[in-house]
Amino acid sequence: MKKIFLNFVLIMLVFFIASCNKKVTVTLSVNGEETVIELSKGEKLDTSHNPKIDGYDFEGWFTDYSYSEEFNLDNKIDEDITLYAKLSRYYNVTTVINGETSIIKVQPDTLIKDLEEPVIEEQQFVGWYSDPEFKQFVKITQVIESDITLYGKYMAKIYSVSFDTKGGNEIKPIKFSSGTAPEMPVTIPTILGYEFDYWSLDEEGKEEYDFKTPMKQDFKLYANYKEVSYDGLIDSIIPDEITEDIELPDGKDSLEYEWKISNPSY
């Protein structure tokens, strides 16, 4: 009886050892290529088997070819199984801006216009170029179909200064680059009876503007005038007496002259 019991224990031990050593086959399918590995029954699939392929992001293992049911790596594998790796294609876009390089990933069929344009203070983005000399412009409608290097061109922001002549002749706005001083207008505003004096930043003329001052915004300048005195002007243009003979029209024995100023308000 004792012998029978020992044989039973021995048989059970053999079955136990056999079950512990049982292997399962895991077939890993990556882009149509299959790799077969063996795991102990009840073992988990670790991340060391995740594929690493340049130009592709690994999104997980799936139990079906259509990637509808994702496999949980925390699950123990008790039977033979085939797993499919889901990969997503991407391209590396290397951007060079003001000497600084960065790499971003984009999906296939991404357009150039979809790329983010880095914001640089007081500069505006001109466009992407395929060369550092900015000779080969890349159209915004171009599709990214491979890894690519792009050079971003920037220029200083453009602002403008407008002129309020307060009733004088019109002066067109002048554009200038951010951080520079706008040029002084060539044309001087004029109003009858007044002489142009200076431009000011305020309408009351309290703060005279210096055209050597760099600006970083749109702004307006106001014309300031000083009144012209006509003292002595009339005497200089109207003679006290006529010193030359004047031929009278036929039938006239006298002639009267009347002097008028075109604008009597000044």
Side-chain angles (χ1 to χ4, degrees):
M1 187 69 180
K2 186 177 180 181
K3 186 176 180 181
I4 296 174
F5 177 75
L6 290 175
N7 289 336
F8 176 76
V9 171
L10 182 61
I11 292 172
M12 293 300 295
L13 182 61
V14 170
F15 274 105
F16 176 76
I17 295 174
S19 62
C20 290
N21 291 331
K22 187 175 182 181
K23 300 291 184 179
V24 293
T25 298
V26 180
T27 303
L28 302 177
S29 178
V30 180
N31 273 356
E33 296 184 2
E34 294 185 348
T35 301
V36 178
I37 62 172
E38 281 190 345
L39 299 178
S40 297
K41 185 178 180 180
E43 188 178 352
K44 297 178 181 179
L45 181 69
D46 61 57
T47 57
S48 64
H49 298 288
N50 293 349
K52 297 178 181 179
I53 304 175
D54 189 33
Y56 290 88
D57 280 326
F58 173 68
E59 296 187 14
W61 292 107
F62 289 76
T63 58
D64 60 314
Y65 188 76
S66 58
Y67 310 120
S68 61
E69 187 173 343
E70 186 171 4
F71 177 76
N72 190 341
L73 292 180
D74 290 331
N75 292 343
K76 295 179 180 180
I77 301 177
D78 295 322
E79 59 184 1
D80 295 345
I81 190 174
T82 298
L83 298 176
Y84 301 88
K86 184 177 181 181
L87 304 173
S88 61
R89 187 75 169 96
Y90 70 84
Y91 297 117
N92 288 316
V93 177
T94 303
T95 60
V96 183
I97 299 173
N98 290 345
E100 296 186 2
T101 301
S102 60
I103 300 176
I104 58 176
K105 292 180 180 180
V106 300
Q107 300 299 317
D109 299 327
T110 298
L111 299 178
I112 293 295
K113 69 177 182 179
D114 296 329
L115 298 178
E116 182 179 355
E117 300 169 2
V119 177
I120 301 178
E121 185 178 1
E122 292 306 317
Q123 293 191 41
Q124 61 185 20
F125 181 71
V126 177
W128 295 108
Y129 291 75
S130 60
D131 63 304
E133 292 79 22
F134 305 121
K135 294 180 179 179
Q136 300 296 324
F137 180 75
V138 180
K139 295 181 179 180
I140 61 174
T141 55
Q142 178 174 319
V143 178
I144 299 176
E145 299 176 321
S146 62
D147 293 345
I148 189 174
T149 299
L150 297 173
Y151 300 84
K153 183 178 182 180
Y154 285 76
M155 63 180 294
K157 284 187 176 180
I158 302 298
Y159 295 108
S160 66
V161 52
S162 57
F163 301 93
D164 186 342
T165 61
K166 297 180 180 178
N169 51 296
E170 181 184 0
I171 295 180
K172 294 183 178 181
I174 293 177
K175 295 184 181 296
F176 63 96
S177 298
S178 175
T180 65
E183 295 181 357
M184 183 182 297
V186 177
T187 304
I188 296 177
T190 58
I191 296 179
L192 184 61
Y194 291 86
E195 180 183 352
F196 174 76
D197 194 5
Y198 62 91
W199 293 103
S200 65
L201 289 167
D202 60 307
E203 194 168 0
E204 293 76 22
K206 297 178 181 179
E207 186 179 357
E208 183 175 355
Y209 177 70
D210 182 0
F211 277 88
K212 295 180 181 179
T213 304
M215 302 293 286
K216 294 183 178 181
Q217 62 183 24
D218 296 324
F219 67 104
K220 180 187 289 187
L221 291 177
Y222 298 87
N224 294 268
Y225 304 87
K226 54 186 177 181
E227 192 172 357
V228 175
S229 174
Y230 285 101
D231 294 342
L233 179 61
I234 301 299
D235 293 338
S236 67
I237 61 176
I238 301 177
D240 293 331
E241 58 180 350
I242 297 175
T243 57
E244 298 180 1
D245 292 337
I246 297 177
E247 184 177 350
L248 299 177
D250 294 342
K252 296 286 186 178
D253 56 5
S254 65
L255 187 64
E256 294 182 358
Y257 284 91
E258 183 178 358
W259 302 93
K260 292 183 178 181
I261 298 176
S262 61
N263 193 335
S265 63
Y266 297 103

